[in-house]
Amino acid sequence: MRFYGTELSSRLMLGTAQYDSPAILADAVRAANAGVVTVSLRREAAGAQAGQAFWSLIRDLGVPVLPNTAGCHGVREAVTTAQMAREVFGTDWIKLEVIGQGDLLQPDVFGLVEATRILTDDGFKVFPYTTEDLVVAERLLRAGAEVLMPWGAPIGSGRGLNNIFGLRALRAHYPDIPMVIDAGIGRPSHASAAFELGFDAVLINTAVAKAGDPVLMAKAFRLACEAGLAGRDADPMEERDMAVPSTPTLGLARGLGGEMI
């Protein structure tokens, strides 16, 4: 798996918010074998001393960092946050969030396209958090994005993949664009389904951080991602409307009237 030319060790990306302790976070990242961790600038800057301790923890994990503009509701705010994140984390990668609706935390796709263009022109490698809309995807790619992060469901909802038809259409329309299912995944089976649909990676935070056992859940997601990817590569059978017997009927014993016994 490559994003902007960088090869990742795993297709599972893990958020770092909401964990009960730094130790649990570190253990979960290791159990997930995460290829990337996402970090909010607000979390890093929550306090000078606390922020430095958190950043030291992330560095010690040895996992590539994807800063994000979580909580930004406008283009200027998102761009400024991205520029600050580049200075703090020393990377030109940015997960771009421009939130347009508060209840569902739905992306403002108009602001998202504008911010993507501005940041791309400024040298950023943008990972836009978007919807499954084909037109929006086209605008984001024209604006310079080389990766798309469509939502599965609203952030933190745990509902899984809400619009299978739309996600399948997006994947089919842009088969060569790296795509990450971001937001809404609540169970390992949801992650497996994302890979079976053809997506390249998944980003998970709340489903691991708020599980009863985050470390065990992180391991479960790792295994589910591996299973979904292997299942896709194995070329699964097509669905059928009618039953097809798995046991051959040729050679079965039959009664005098010709019925099978």
Side-chain angles (χ1 to χ4, degrees):
M1 183 67 250
R2 289 179 179 272
F3 291 140
Y4 290 102
T6 298
E7 184 173 349
L8 304 182
S9 62
S10 166
R11 294 171 183 259
L12 175 55
M13 305 166 72
L14 200 63
T16 56
Q18 305 185 66
Y19 291 85
D20 289 340
S21 73
I24 292 175
L25 165 60
D27 288 344
V29 171
R30 296 187 184 100
N33 187 32
V36 169
V37 293
T38 62
V39 180
S40 168
L41 179 65
R42 285 175 169 79
R43 179 170 175 79
E44 164 64 15
Q49 186 172 358
Q52 287 301 319
F54 177 75
W55 183 218
S56 296
L57 168 67
I58 296 300
R59 282 200 304 265
D60 290 344
L61 291 172
V63 180
V65 173
L66 175 62
N68 68 46
T69 62
C72 292
H73 289 260
V75 172
R76 176 177 292 183
E77 182 185 14
V79 169
T80 300
T81 301
Q83 292 168 340
M84 294 172 63
R86 181 165 58 184
E87 296 299 321
V88 171
F89 299 109
T91 178
D92 54 8
W93 281 19
I94 191 71
K95 180 193 169 190
L96 180 60
E97 295 183 23
V98 182
I99 301 301
Q101 204 282 332
D103 292 335
L104 298 180
L105 299 179
Q106 183 166 341
D108 171 1
V109 295
F110 305 101
L112 185 65
V113 171
E114 182 181 352
T116 296
R117 182 175 294 107
I118 293 170
L119 291 173
T120 298
D121 290 344
D122 193 26
F124 282 89
K125 296 177 173 62
V126 180
F127 295 68
Y129 164 62
T130 183
T131 65
E132 68 276 18
D133 187 283
L134 291 173
V135 178
V136 175
E138 175 66 23
R139 297 292 189 274
L140 289 169
L141 295 174
R142 288 182 185 177
E146 297 180 15
V147 177
L148 297 176
M149 301 185 77
W151 66 349
I155 294 172
S157 68
R159 296 179 60 88
L161 308 180
N162 267 355
N163 184 359
I164 297 293
F165 174 82
L167 290 171
R168 184 180 287 117
L170 179 65
R171 178 71 283 180
H173 200 73
Y174 298 104
D176 300 323
I177 300 298
M179 293 190 193
V180 183
I181 293 293
D182 175 21
I185 290 181
R187 299 177 183 275
S189 57
H190 298 159
S192 185
F195 284 104
E196 290 175 359
L197 281 177
F199 288 89
D200 302 291
V202 295
L203 172 56
I204 303 158
N205 190 167
T206 307
V208 172
K210 305 314 292 182
D213 186 335
V215 178
L216 182 59
M217 185 61 78
K219 178 181 178 181
F221 270 108
R222 172 175 61 81
L223 296 173
C225 291
E226 293 172 359
L229 184 62
R232 180 183 76 195
D233 291 345
D235 190 15
M237 63 175 285
E238 296 292 332
E239 295 181 2
R240 299 163 173 161
D241 293 329
M242 300 295 290
V244 178
S246 56
T247 302
T249 58
L250 185 65
L252 290 179
R254 296 180 179 271
L256 295 178
E259 73 279 3
M260 287 187 292
I261 299 175

